[in-house]
Amino acid sequence: FNSYFFFLFLKHILQFHASVFNKESLGNWKDFVFSIMEKECPICHRKMSVGKYVDETTVIMTCKHCCKEFRITYDEEEIPRNINDFNWGAFFLWHLWGFWNGIPLLSCFGIFIGFLAAFFYPLYILDIAISLYLGLRGNRLSWRKKNWVSAVNFERCQKKWDIAVAVSLCLALVCGFLYGFCA
């Protein structure tokens, strides 16, 4: 009698485990992250990558091997609404932004360039180019590189970076005004 309940319990645990970690179901955020990164091509059965985020529920994935595109639609809003928007935090504060958004090596590179640019002025062009690139592609890079808890959490975090940019620009204007006024 007890072994029957044990096997019944074990069966339910295995079914739950299969439903949570199955690549076709999207009930769990971890499952979404794993499925969006490791979706297999139905033709050649190799890994595909996200080509374009259409909206909150739709992505276009491309297979690098057979060069086919697939439009994948999810039932729930799993992709952030601001995925295609300009990222002001990545544009203005990219030297720090990358540490908290899954791109720490790029931030270290940015800090290193900042120190070298003080001695070699043309490096500022590279700094501006990287900041423009991250402004345009920062949300997509962050969504891919960091395992976010949810799309809502991602949107909140990027909104905080927008606020940080606004505050830092206001502080820079006030300090510049005070310096000009006092000098």
Side-chain angles (χ1 to χ4, degrees), residues 132-147:
L132 280 172
Y133 176 75
L134 287 176
L136 294 170
R137 294 282 194 180
N139 286 337
R140 292 182 200 133
L141 285 172
S142 179
W143 181 250
R144 285 182 188 165
K145 297 288 184 181
K146 186 175 178 180
N147 290 332

Side-chain angles (χ1 to χ4, degrees), residues 57-125:
T57 59
T58 308
V59 294
I60 295 176
M61 298 190 87
T62 56
C63 179
K64 295 178 184 174
H65 303 285
C66 62
C67 299
K68 300 281 183 177
E69 287 188 349
F70 300 94
R71 185 182 190 100
I72 299 173
T73 304
Y74 299 102
D75 293 337
E76 297 177 14
E77 182 181 316
E78 296 289 343
I79 301 167
R81 286 186 294 261
N82 63 349
I83 197 75
N84 292 320
D85 293 348
F86 193 83
N87 191 325
W88 291 104
F91 178 72
F92 281 108
L93 302 172
W94 73 273
H95 303 91
L96 299 174
W97 178 86
F99 286 119
W100 286 275
N101 286 281
I103 315 168
L105 289 177
L106 187 65
S107 289
C108 291
F109 179 69
I111 291 171
F112 181 69
I113 284 179
F115 286 128
L116 287 181
F119 302 109
F120 189 62
Y121 189 72
L123 282 178
Y124 281 115
I125 296 170

